[in-house]
Amino acid sequence: MVPTSLSERMLSRDLLDVLIRAGLIAALVIFCFQIFNPFLDLMLWALILAITLYPLHGVLKSCLGGRSGHAASLIVLVTLMILMVPVYLLATSISESVQQALTIVKGGSFHIPLPGEHVARWPLVGPKLHDFWLQAATDVTSLMEKVLPHLKGVSLNLLGKLTGVSVGFLSFIAALLIAGVIMAYGENGSRSAVQITTRISGPVKGPQIAELCTATIRAVAQGVVGIAFIQMLLVGVGFVVMGIPGAGLLALASLLLGIMQLPMLLVSLPVIGFVFATEGATVATIVFTIYNLIAGLSDNVLKPLLLGRGVDVPMPVILIGALGGMVTNGFIGLFIGPVVLAVGHQLFWQWVKSTPEDVEPRERTKT
């Protein structure tokens, strides 16, 4: 009986030691996560940028005589210069739109025409729309008193969205700077990633998982975000050259549609209709129409070149990742969401497909 009780005591002591160690490790992990959590999105964005731009970094590094730091700094500077163009256009467009609205209001030239009698005969919304339109044309002051409380909430909501976009852009700049540091030490980072995945999944699957994650991040970042950014530049240049009001906002809307995998023609077609309605069928409007249609459909050519590089990511995964990332993490989540969800999708299906291959060799060794 004594050896049994002694062994039970030793077993309980070993179990208690294991539980204490596991508890301490869990407490340390939770504490570290709480400290790192505010920087999680920023570091994810920086890692995605570093992995996406690292092939370009390798080319520049060889051209600069193996100077990794100089190549990373050059990529960061050029990227910032490219980003300043759409940001400048957006800020200029918003400023011009506000100034035009203030000029119209102060000059007293703002006039709403009376509604036609046929508006009241429209089904469902006709009578209410007619009354609202008539009051706006005859007594805009009382109408503003009714609408102003609702406009206040909408304005605050819109201001919050614009603030989120500004914060997201600043976060992107910070992530780009961190990505430059990561690229400068890219070889060490690549070895560390392989070591981590090898420690988790073994020496055979570890390098494969690291390579799969890298390929997925590059494919989605280039084939989704990159294509959307290229299309935004093409469409935005056409809007600016044609003098479209709010060209910067329309270009930003095109970028969001492109990331969410929605047709960019949703923005281009109304703009084309506006141009024909205001300027008529001239040579300039026809050229503008052809240019915008080509720019809006250019993703059909760019996607096979940038997205189809050995990684098949379904469009619903990208759409859900973009929408879910935007809801949970704001503007920056619109970029991070598709990449993270695509990586999870690829890892899941690799695990599903690799299971039968792992079982068969074990059964053969048993027989």
Side-chain angles (χ1 to χ4, degrees):
M1 295 298 295
V2 176
T4 305
S5 61
L6 181 60
S7 61
E8 290 178 354
R9 291 177 183 177
M10 293 178 63
L11 181 61
S12 62
R13 182 179 296 176
D14 293 339
L15 180 60
L16 182 62
D17 291 341
V18 171
L19 292 177
I20 291 175
R21 292 173 184 173
L24 291 175
I25 293 173
L28 180 62
V29 170
I30 294 173
F31 188 62
C32 291
F33 178 77
Q34 290 177 348
I35 295 175
F36 186 72
N37 189 38
F39 306 97
L40 181 60
D41 292 340
L42 181 64
M43 295 305 297
L44 277 176
W45 197 209
L47 186 62
I48 291 170
L49 288 174
I51 294 175
T52 304
L53 298 174
Y54 193 69
L56 177 61
H57 175 268
V59 175
L60 292 177
K61 180 181 176 180
S62 60
C63 295
L64 296 175
R67 299 176 181 177
S68 181
H70 290 72
S73 301
L74 182 60
I75 291 175
V76 171
L77 291 175
V78 172
T79 305
L80 288 176
M81 292 174 62
I82 294 175
L83 286 175
M84 289 299 110
V85 175
V87 171
Y88 173 76
L89 294 177
L90 177 61
T92 304
S93 174
I94 295 175
S95 177
E96 290 178 353
S97 300
V98 172
Q99 289 178 0
Q100 290 176 1
L102 292 176
T103 302
I104 293 173
V105 173
K106 291 180 180 179
S109 58
F110 180 72
H111 176 69
I112 300 176
L114 292 173
E117 294 298 331
H118 65 281
V119 176
R121 294 192 295 268
W122 291 357
L124 299 179
V125 299
K128 293 183 179 180
L129 180 60
H130 182 272
D131 295 339
F132 181 82
W133 192 343
L134 182 62
Q135 187 178 6
T138 56
D139 191 7
V140 69
T141 303
S142 61
L143 180 63
M144 290 301 296
E145 292 178 355
K146 295 179 181 179
V147 178
L148 190 60
H150 302 285
L151 290 178
K152 183 178 179 181
V154 174
S155 301
L156 291 176
N157 189 15
L158 181 60
L159 183 61
K161 296 296 183 182
L162 292 176
T163 304
V165 172
S166 302
V167 172
F169 180 73
L170 294 177
S171 300
F172 177 81
I173 293 178
L176 183 62
L177 296 176
I178 298 174
V181 177
I182 296 175
M183 285 187 292
Y185 299 94
E187 295 180 359
N188 295 330
S190 178
R191 286 195 296 267
S192 299
V194 173
Q195 290 175 355
I196 293 172
T197 54
T198 301
R199 186 73 176 94
I200 296 174
S201 302
V204 177
K205 290 186 178 180
Q208 296 177 357
I209 291 176
E211 184 178 357
L212 176 64
C213 292
T214 302
T216 305
I217 290 173
R218 286 175 183 166
V220 175
Q222 295 174 1
V224 176
V225 181
I227 290 176
F229 187 77
I230 292 173
Q231 282 189 293
M232 180 203 69
L233 291 179
L234 294 175
V235 173
V237 167
F239 291 165
V240 172
V241 172
M242 200 64 188
I244 304 298
L249 292 175
L250 293 173
L252 180 61
S254 301
L255 175 63
L256 301 182
L257 289 176
I259 294 174
M260 291 187 292
Q261 298 295 286
L262 297 176
M264 204 163 289
L265 295 177
L266 293 175
V267 174
S268 298
L269 291 179
V271 173
I272 292 172
F274 170 79
V275 170
F276 271 95
T278 54
E279 300 189 13
T282 62
V283 176
T285 55
I286 294 174
V287 172
F288 173 78
T289 301
I290 297 174
Y291 173 80
N292 268 272
L293 290 176
I294 294 175
L297 297 173
S298 61
D299 59 331
N300 296 319
V301 178
L302 295 174
K303 280 182 179 178
L305 297 177
L306 298 178
L307 187 58
R309 293 185 176 181
V311 178
D312 185 15
V313 182
M315 188 185 72
V317 174
I318 304 300
L319 179 60
I320 293 172
L323 296 177
M326 184 173 59
V327 171
T328 55
N329 297 314
F331 182 73
I332 195 171
L334 187 67
F335 300 89
I336 298 177
V339 179
V340 175
L341 195 62
V343 171
H345 173 268
Q346 293 295 327
L347 291 177
F348 172 76
W349 280 107
Q350 191 200 43
W351 172 75
V352 170
K353 294 178 182 180
S354 64
T355 301
E357 298 176 0
D358 294 338
V359 173
E360 290 179 0
R362 294 178 182 177
E363 293 179 351
R364 292 177 183 176
T365 53
K366 289 181 181 180
T367 56

